[in-house]
Amino acid sequence: MGFVAAVVFAVCCWFSHGVAGQEEPIQTFVIPHSHMDVGWVYTIQESMHAYAANVYSSVTEELSKVKERRFIAVEQEFFRLWWDTVASDTQKKQVRQLIKEGRLEFIIGGQVMHDEAVTDLDDDILQMMEGHGFLYETFGVRPQFSWHVDPFGASATTPVLFALAGFNAHLISRIDYDLKDIMQKNKKLQFVWRGSPSLKSQQEIFTHTMDQFSYCTPSYLPFSNCSGFYWNGVALFPDPPKDGVYPNMSLPVTKETVHAYAKTMVENIKQRAAWFRTNHVLWPWGCDKQFYNSSVQFNNMDPLMKYINQNSKEFGVTVQYATLSEYFQTIYQSNLTWEVRGSEDFLPYSTEPYQAWTGFYASRNVLKGVARQASSRLYAAETLFTRYRISFPDGPVAKDWALDKLRALRWAVSEVQHHDGITGTESPKVADMYLQHLLQAMMGAEELLASPSILDIEQTLEQHVIVYNPLAWNITTIVNVTVTQPSAAVFDDDGQPVPAQIQGSAHSNATYDLFIVVELGGLQYRKYLIKFPENSKAYEAKAVSFERRSVKDRAKAGRLLLPVLSECYELLFDQDTNLLHSITYLEEKRRVMITQDFWEYDANGDVKAGPISDNYIFSANGSAVRAYKAVEMEIIPGKIVTEIRQYFYREESDKDYAYSITTRVPECFGTKLPCHRLEQTYSLGPLSLNTEVVLRTSTSVKNNRTLYSDDNGYQMMKRTYRKFTNNTLARNYFPMVRTAYIEDDLSRLVLVSDRAHGVSSQTDGQLEVMLHRRLWNNLQWNLGYNLTLNDSSVVRPTLWMMLGSVSATSKLYQREAVQLQHRPVVKEPKRGSPLRSVVLPPNLHLLSLSIPGWNYCSNHSVHLNLHSQPDYDRILLRIMHLFEEGEDPELSKPVTINLKEALQGMGEVKGVEERSLTGTWDIASLQRWKWKTADNLEKDNKQQRRQDDDFTVTISPKEIRTFFVHFVSRNF
C-alpha cells in the first residue's frame, strides 16, 4: 500500500549534499521490485488481469535479454497464479535459468507480505510455509531474506519467525516517523534484533530499516511533471492498454535528459548514504504495481546507469543492478560491529502527529473474526486428517480430495493475512472477496470433517453429535449445542448420563441453548447422544429479569448487590445500575472493584474540520462518552453455568438494545470445569456513523496506565503510557491479538480474545478494548479508492476474563488463549474407530500436526527429484513452549520429551528429523550468518538438534521446534 510513499514524494524536496571526504565512490545497489498487494483496492483476479501477470511475463523476458539485470519477487500468491495459469513452457524454462543464475530472487517467499500487528503466529507461519513449500518443490529454492516494507509497524515476533525459518537478514520500513528521524540522524537504521527475551541471541537477526523514502523510488523530478523513474507509468484498471502506453509515463532517457536524471538520482543516493554506516546504499527501484511493462523500465534505466558509471569519478557514485542477497552479502562482509535491539517492537506506527495507525487494530471486526475462525477450523481438520491417514492410509476418504480441501483453506487463510487484508484496510469488494474465499474453503473443510447426514432434529426424538478436541491436552469444558426442543437428556458413548443444562437462547426465540460438560483426551473425539424426552434430565434453567435502569440513577449505586458464585469467584452485580460491581477471587479472598460497559469515541468525518479517523487511522475528537442511557439485565442461574445477560440501550425508551454483554460463569459442581475463566460474548451494532466503540473495564487495580498486550500471540509486550504533544490518546493504543492484561502488586486482570482488537489503558485501573468502528470521511484519497469504513455490521466477538494474583494467572493465560482459539469442534458423527489420546505436557503446545503434501528432500545436496504426486507420508509436527524464561518457577523450565512415546497414541514412530520452521532446511545443516554485536556475546547461530537419541528432544522456553515424523505403515 503506497499511501505514505505517495505523500512523502509529493511533499519532499531534494537536498544536494555529498559525504565529506569520500574517498571511494558510494556503491549503490539498485534493486528492481514491484510491490503487489494481494488485495487492497482491487481483487486478486482484477490485479492479475490488469498488471500482475504482466509483471512476471515482461520481467522474465527482459532479464533474459541482458545478464546484468535483476529482479526480486516477493508475494507468492501472484507468482504461483502466474506460474500455474499464465506462464508458457518457454517462460518457465527462462525462469529456472534466471533463478539458477541468481538474477531472479525470491524474497520472504510467503504467500503474502503479512501484517505484523493483528495476525496470529499460527497464520504467519502457515502463509510462509505454503509459499516456501511451493518454491522448494518447484525450484529447490529456500528464501533467506525478508522485505517487510509495507506492514503498518513492526512486531518483535516477525524477526524471530524469520530467523527460525533460516533467514540471514530482515528488512522493515514503516516505523514511527519521529523514531525513524532519530535513527537516521544517528545512523542507527541497521541493528541486530533479538526479538525474543527468552531465545536471546539464539534467534537474533540483522535488521535493515528503510530510510524516510521507504520502499519506493523517489517520484519527484525537478525537470519534469512526470513521476520519477517510473517510465512505464501508472497501471490501468480494469484492462491493460493494448498499445502498451500507460498514463504518466516519464520522459525517456535520451542524450538531452540523461544528465538531469543522473543528477537527481545521484543526489538522492548521497542523501541516503549519509544515514547509514557503510559506503553501500540500497536503492529500491519500483513501487506499488510497477514493472508490468518492464521493457520500458529497463530500456531507460540501462543507459542511465551506464552514464553514471562512466562519470563515477565526477559523481562519486557507482550503480549496479542487484538482488537483496547481493546487498546484504556486502554489508555482512563489511565486518562491522552492530548495536543490539532487544525484544521491543515498533508498534504503534504513526506517520504524522495526527496520523496514528491504530484504528486498523479493530477495523472490520467480522473479517478478523472469520479469519481466525477459519484458521481454527483448519487446525482441527489438519490434525484429524493426519490422524486418519496414519491409522487408515488406504481408508475410504480420498487423499487427493482431502488435500485439495485443506490446501484451499490454507491458501484462503494465508491470503487474508496480507497487510491490507486482516487489517480491514481494504475496499469493501476486496473484503467481500476474502470472506467469500474463507467461507467457501471452510465449507470444504466441513465436508472433510463431515459425516453421513442424520434426520432433521425436529423429526426425531434424538440427535447424535461428535465433539473433537484438536489440542494435545486433556480438557474438560462446556460445549453449546443449539436445539429446537425445550427439554433434553444427554448420554455419552457408554450410555452414561452427562451433566447438561438447557435454557432459552439469547439470540432466538425459536431455539434453545444446550450446555454439555465434555471431557476429552488430546486429539480425541467422543460421541454424545441427545434425547428429547418430556421429562428432561438436563437442568432447565430459567431467567430472572431485572428492570431497565437509567444512568441518571447512578447516585443510588451500591445499595443492592446481587452475588453470583463459583468455586473461583464471587461476582457482585449492582441492581441499581445492572452493571458489574466487583469480583472477589476466592483463593486469596481479594476483592477488586470492576465495572464493564460501552463507550464511544466520536470521529471527525470532514477533512476541513481537522484530523480524521479511517480504516487505518484512529484520531478521536476527544475523550470517549458513555454509549448508552439505560441497562437491562437478566440472570439465568444454572447448575453447570450461570449466565448474566446485560443489554445496553442508546436511549431510555429504545425498543432494541445497541450493545450487550453475555457472561457465562461455570459452576464447577464437583467436576473439573475450569472455573477461573469468565466467558464473555458481546453484541455491537449497527453503530452510528463515525463512532468507534470500546468495551471499558474499570477496576481498582493500580496499573499506572501501563498494560501488557501480545505480539502475534507469541509474547507479551509491556506498554507504558506515554504523553505526546499531539494525539496522545490514539498513540497509546496497541494491538491485542490474543491477550492483554493490567496488573499491580496484588492482582492481575487478563483478557484473552478470539480475534484481534485495539487495546489501551487511558486512566489508572482501566483496560479498554476497541471492538467495532463505523466511519465515513470526505478525504479524496479514501473516496477515490473506496476506502471509507462504512461498516454497518453487527459483531459478536468473545473475550475470556481471568482475575487473580500475578503468579496464579501466569500459569493460566497462555493455555487459555490457545483453548479459546481452538475450542472443541462439534459435528455430526461419522464412521470410525475411537482415537487414542495424545497428550503433551501443560507448557508445550502442539502448534501444527499436518500433512503438508509438498515434496522436500532431506538431503538438499542431492538433486531434487520433482514428483508429480504429493507426499502423503511426511507428517509435519511443530511444538511450541508457551512460557517465557523465568515466568513461572515450574512451567518455565525446559521440557524433555520422547516423541515416540508422546505420539504412540497415533501410531508407531519410525523416524524423526528436525527441520527449520517451514520445513525446507535440515536443522543440522542450517548455518545462519553470525553478525558481530556490541555485547560480544558468545553465540552459535547454528541450531542444535539437542536430541539425546533418535526421539528425545528438549524444548526450552519460547522455542518453536519443527519435525518431520515418519510412522510405520499400517497398510494391510
Side-chain angles (χ1 to χ4, degrees):
M1 201 285 300
F3 170 58
V4 170
V7 172
V8 168
F9 300 152
V11 302
C12 73
C13 56
W14 297 95
F15 303 92
S16 175
H17 63 272
V19 181
Q22 194 77 59
E23 295 179 6
E24 293 293 323
I26 297 168
Q27 185 180 14
T28 309
F29 294 79
V30 176
I31 299 184
H33 76 99
S34 182
H35 182 68
M36 297 191 279
D37 289 304
V38 182
W40 185 35
V41 175
Y42 302 102
T43 67
I44 292 166
Q45 288 304 322
E46 285 175 330
S47 294
M48 276 295 291
H49 178 71
Y51 80 93
N54 282 353
V55 170
Y56 290 115
S57 293
S58 67
V59 164
T60 298
E61 181 180 351
E62 292 307 311
L63 263 57
S64 299
K65 291 178 181 177
V66 180
K67 66 178 182 179
E68 286 78 19
R69 293 172 176 173
R70 304 282 191 275
F71 193 80
I72 63 169
V74 180
E75 300 84 2
Q76 284 312 299
E77 176 146 355
F78 280 128
F79 180 83
R80 197 191 73 246
L81 282 170
W82 175 78
W83 182 263
D84 289 343
T85 64
V86 177
S88 66
D89 290 342
T90 299
Q91 288 170 327
K92 289 183 177 183
K93 185 176 180 181
Q94 288 173 324
V95 165
R96 292 188 188 279
Q97 184 61 31
L98 292 169
I99 292 170
K100 185 177 179 181
E101 294 172 4
R103 300 201 289 116
L104 175 62
E105 184 170 78
F106 293 102
I107 304 298
I108 309 177
Q111 292 285 86
V112 300
M113 187 185 296
H114 69 76
D115 172 66
E116 299 193 41
V118 298
T119 52
D120 188 276
L121 85 156
D122 293 19
D123 306 320
D124 292 342
I125 295 169
L126 170 72
Q127 69 86 23
M128 188 158 54
M129 183 166 174
E130 285 304 292
H132 284 198
F134 165 76
L135 289 174
Y136 191 83
E137 180 178 278
T138 311
F139 306 112
V141 163
R142 300 181 287 196
Q144 296 179 50
F145 304 96
S146 93
W147 179 264
H148 250 226
V149 294
D150 203 26
F152 320 135
S155 155
T157 299
T158 302
V160 174
L161 298 182
F162 286 164
L164 287 168
F167 286 20
N168 286 313
H170 180 38
L171 187 147
I172 62 177
S173 182
R174 290 184 181 269
I175 67 171
D176 216 68
Y177 69 100
D178 45 8
L179 177 59
K180 179 176 280 194
D181 187 52
I182 293 168
M183 292 169 72
Q184 279 187 176
K185 289 175 181 175
N186 297 323
K187 296 190 176 184
K188 293 187 176 182
L189 291 170
Q190 295 172 321
F191 50 87
V192 170
W193 199 351
R194 293 180 187 151
S196 165
S198 294
L199 299 179
K200 302 182 179 68
S201 63
Q202 181 189 344
Q203 294 304 334
E204 69 184 18
I205 191 167
F206 180 81
T207 303
H208 172 102
T209 312
M210 289 284 203
D211 56 49
Q212 71 184 42
F213 295 105
S214 189
Y215 62 87
C216 290
T217 313
S219 61
Y220 172 72
L221 292 175
F223 54 89
S224 168
N225 289 329
C226 295
S227 55
F229 300 81
Y230 308 136
W231 291 282
N232 57 195
V234 177
L236 269 185
F237 286 81
D239 300 309
K242 293 180 180 179
D243 60 2
V245 178
Y246 289 80
N248 204 34
M249 295 176 73
S250 278
L251 292 172
V253 175
T254 62
K255 289 181 179 179
E256 291 73 31
T257 63
V258 66
H259 185 77
Y261 268 116
K263 186 171 181 290
T264 301
M265 185 172 175
V266 166
E267 286 177 352
N268 182 252
I269 289 167
K270 288 182 175 180
Q271 185 179 4
R272 290 175 188 259
W275 297 325
F276 292 91
R277 292 178 59 198
T278 73
N279 204 32
H280 315 293
V281 170
L282 188 162
W283 203 78
W285 177 36
C287 195
D288 292 35
K289 309 177 194 66
Q290 282 292 314
F291 282 88
Y292 43 80
N293 193 352
S294 54
S295 62
V296 180
Q297 288 283 82
F298 283 111
N299 288 338
N300 281 281
M301 184 59 89
D302 285 354
L304 174 56
M305 291 175 61
K306 182 178 179 181
Y307 180 82
I308 292 172
N309 287 333
Q310 286 174 340
N311 297 278
S312 61
K313 188 168 287 188
E314 174 192 342
F315 285 127
V317 165
T318 64
V319 290
Q320 65 192 70
Y321 290 125
T323 59
L324 192 58
S325 66
E326 289 173 312
Y327 170 74
F328 276 130
Q329 183 77 47
T330 303
I331 299 299
Y332 180 62
Q333 290 171 350
S334 69
N335 210 29
L336 292 177
T337 299
W338 301 97
E339 286 193 3
V340 171
R341 181 178 181 87
S343 57
E344 311 98 315
D345 59 16
F346 291 95
L347 292 165
Y349 164 61
S350 293
T351 52
E352 294 177 28
Y354 286 100
Q355 293 197 345
W357 293 43
T358 58
F360 77 89
Y361 302 157
S363 295
R364 297 201 191 280
N365 183 282
V366 170
L367 177 62
K368 285 177 166 66
V370 173
R372 283 276 282 278
Q373 184 185 356
S375 174
S376 175
R377 191 48 50 103
L378 173 63
Y379 180 89
E382 296 274 22
T383 57
L384 198 56
F385 176 64
T386 301
R387 294 211 65 177
Y388 177 84
R389 275 288 305 164
I390 294 168
S391 300
F392 309 105
D394 296 318
V397 176
K399 57 188 179 182
D400 290 341
W401 173 85
L403 185 60
D404 284 346
K405 298 295 182 187
L406 289 171
R407 278 192 170 163
L409 188 49
R410 289 173 190 171
W411 292 350
V413 171
S414 292
E415 76 179 13
V416 79
Q417 307 311 315
H418 168 57
H419 57 266
D420 277 305
I422 197 168
T423 53
T425 54
E426 66 276 18
S427 66
K429 70 176 177 182
V430 174
D432 290 344
M433 175 202 73
Y434 290 129
L435 283 169
Q436 182 184 11
H437 290 179
L438 288 166
L439 293 171
Q440 284 180 342
M442 285 170 72
M443 288 175 62
E446 293 296 341
E447 289 180 49
L448 180 56
L449 291 165
S451 58
S453 297
I454 60 170
L455 292 174
D456 189 88
I457 299 168
E458 295 180 340
Q459 298 175 6
T460 181
L461 292 179
E462 63 180 40
Q463 174 183 356
H464 293 271
V465 295
I466 292 282
V467 183
Y468 173 61
N469 170 24
L471 295 170
W473 298 323
N474 295 334
I475 64 166
T476 301
T477 190
I478 300 170
V479 298
N480 181 10
V481 178
T482 300
V483 296
T484 57
Q485 304 292 325
S487 302
V490 183
F491 303 88
D492 64 18
D493 41 16
D494 296 323
Q496 297 300 310
V498 174
Q501 172 180 322
I502 194 166
Q503 62 194 45
S505 169
H507 303 296
S508 168
N509 293 327
T511 61
Y512 300 85
D513 289 333
L514 177 63
F515 296 110
I516 306 172
V517 177
V518 299
E519 296 187 39
L520 294 163
L523 303 184
Q524 197 173 52
Y525 62 75
R526 293 188 69 179
K527 184 168 67 174
Y528 294 87
L529 172 64
I530 304 170
K531 293 185 177 181
F532 300 101
E534 290 184 9
N535 298 319
S536 170
K537 291 190 178 182
Y539 178 79
E540 295 186 23
K542 302 297 183 182
V544 179
S545 297
F546 297 81
E547 65 180 79
R548 191 177 300 192
R549 295 294 188 181
S550 169
V551 296
K552 296 175 184 175
D553 300 329
R554 285 293 172 91
K556 303 175 184 176
R559 299 179 307 163
L560 298 169
L561 300 179
L562 181 70
V564 175
L565 277 165
S566 73
E567 288 187 15
C568 291
Y569 302 117
E570 180 188 53
L571 289 77
L572 294 179
F573 288 87
D574 191 332
Q575 293 183 59
D576 288 315
T577 64
N578 286 334
L579 296 177
L580 181 63
H581 170 272
S582 61
I583 300 177
T584 301
Y585 51 101
L586 299 177
E587 185 175 350
E588 299 190 25
K589 296 181 174 60
R590 183 164 288 121
R591 185 168 77 163
V592 177
M593 308 302 291
I594 294 182
T595 300
Q596 289 186 303
D597 56 0
F598 295 98
W599 293 67
E600 289 179 346
Y601 288 100
D602 176 49
N604 170 41
D606 183 0
V607 292
K608 295 179 180 178
I612 58 159
S613 281
D614 65 8
N615 293 36
Y616 309 88
I617 294 164
F618 174 39
S619 181
N621 275 350
S623 300
V625 296
R626 192 173 282 111
Y628 62 96
K629 295 288 180 62
V631 187
E632 281 179 8
M633 179 171 67
E634 58 181 345
I635 296 181
I636 307 169
K639 288 188 176 179
I640 290 177
V641 61
T642 292
E643 190 167 270
I644 302 98
R645 301 171 181 172
Q646 296 163 288
Y647 305 101
F648 296 78
Y649 295 83
R650 287 198 180 97
E651 301 295 336
E652 289 182 45
S653 59
D654 281 358
K655 180 182 177 182
D656 297 319
Y657 61 87
Y659 313 105
S660 72
I661 303 175
T662 300
T663 304
R664 289 177 180 159
V665 183
E667 288 300 305
C668 305
F669 59 107
T671 73
K672 301 173 185 175
L673 276 177
C675 67
H676 51 260
R677 70 183 182 222
L678 302 169
E679 303 183 4
Q680 294 192 316
T681 302
Y682 316 94
S683 174
L684 300 90
L687 304 186
S688 302
L689 198 59
N690 285 330
T691 56
E692 308 179 64
V693 178
V694 300
L695 170 75
R696 181 173 284 180
T697 304
S698 303
T699 78
S700 55
V701 175
K702 304 297 183 185
N703 72 313
N704 194 30
R705 297 192 289 192
T706 295
L707 68 92
Y708 295 78
S709 73
D710 63 317
D711 266 8
N712 310 104
Y714 176 69
Q715 57 191 353
M716 299 303 296
M717 311 298 291
K718 185 176 183 179
R719 312 296 193 184
T720 304
Y721 187 88
R722 296 172 60 200
K723 291 185 177 179
F724 298 91
T725 305
N726 303 299
N727 216 20
T728 292
L729 192 157
R731 294 182 78 174
N732 278 289
Y733 253 85
F734 301 92
M736 168 195 185
V737 176
R738 288 189 190 174
T739 311
Y741 60 75
I742 57 174
E743 66 183 22
D744 58 20
D745 293 339
L746 298 175
S747 305
R748 177 189 281 170
L749 175 75
V750 184
L751 297 178
V752 296
S753 65
D754 70 341
R755 67 197 71 182
H757 304 289
V759 64
S760 186
S761 181
Q762 296 288 336
T763 60
D764 195 31
Q766 195 180 88
L767 184 59
E768 67 178 41
V769 182
M770 187 178 289
L771 295 177
H772 200 11
R773 320 174 72 219
R774 183 181 182 185
L775 305 165
W776 187 92
N777 65 76
N778 60 2
L779 180 65
Q780 199 56 47
W781 188 82
N782 280 348
L783 294 176
Y785 284 135
N786 195 14
L787 291 177
T788 53
L789 189 69
N790 191 2
D791 184 351
S792 59
S793 60
V794 176
V795 303
R796 294 188 173 90
T798 295
L799 295 175
W800 288 355
M801 178 165 61
M802 286 159 282
L803 181 67
S805 65
V806 171
S807 60
T809 54
S810 289
K811 300 176 190 296
L812 297 172
Y813 74 84
Q814 302 92 332
R815 282 169 59 94
E816 291 300 312
V818 171
Q819 289 191 59
L820 175 54
Q821 172 74 5
H822 299 299
R823 285 168 280 187
V825 176
V826 180
K827 58 195 184 71
E828 296 174 357
K830 66 176 182 178
R831 297 185 183 92
S833 303
L835 297 175
R836 294 173 62 191
S837 64
V838 176
V839 182
L840 292 178
N843 44 3
L844 297 186
H845 168 42
L846 181 67
L847 202 60
S848 304
L849 179 70
S850 67
I851 298 172
W854 302 110
N855 284 285
Y856 300 89
C857 189
S858 295
N859 184 350
H860 190 70
S861 61
V862 177
H863 178 69
L864 261 176
N865 294 311
L866 300 177
H867 305 286
S868 58
Q869 293 299 315
D871 183 349
Y872 289 99
D873 298 321
R874 192 183 303 271
I875 308 300
L876 182 133
L877 171 74
R878 193 177 285 119
I879 298 175
M880 172 182 169
H881 196 303
L882 286 175
F883 286 78
E884 294 283 3
E885 193 175 77
E887 187 173 13
D888 183 84
E890 290 300 318
L891 295 171
S892 289
K893 290 179 178 178
V895 183
T896 299
I897 60 170
N898 183 294
L899 293 176
K900 188 168 187 173
E901 293 175 2
L903 302 176
Q904 64 183 350
M906 285 193 283
E908 183 182 350
V909 175
K910 67 177 180 180
V912 173
E913 53 180 315
E914 185 164 5
R915 306 292 291 189
S916 60
L917 184 70
T918 59
T920 55
W921 293 88
D922 178 347
I923 210 72
S925 65
L926 176 55
Q927 297 188 47
R928 297 170 54 241
W929 293 353
K930 301 173 189 176
W931 296 81
K932 280 189 177 179
T933 54
D935 58 7
N936 292 316
L937 279 185
E938 288 294 323
K939 53 184 177 287
D940 182 0
N941 281 344
K942 181 179 178 180
Q943 298 186 16
Q944 302 298 316
R945 289 182 65 85
R946 296 187 305 287
Q947 286 187 219
D948 301 330
D949 55 38
D950 287 342
F951 304 108
T952 301
V953 297
T954 299
I955 302 175
S956 298
K958 280 300 170 187
E959 276 198 315
I960 301 173
R961 299 184 67 183
T962 304
F963 306 91
F964 286 156
V965 182
H966 301 273
F967 287 83
V968 174
S969 174
R970 291 191 180 181
N971 291 325
F972 299 109

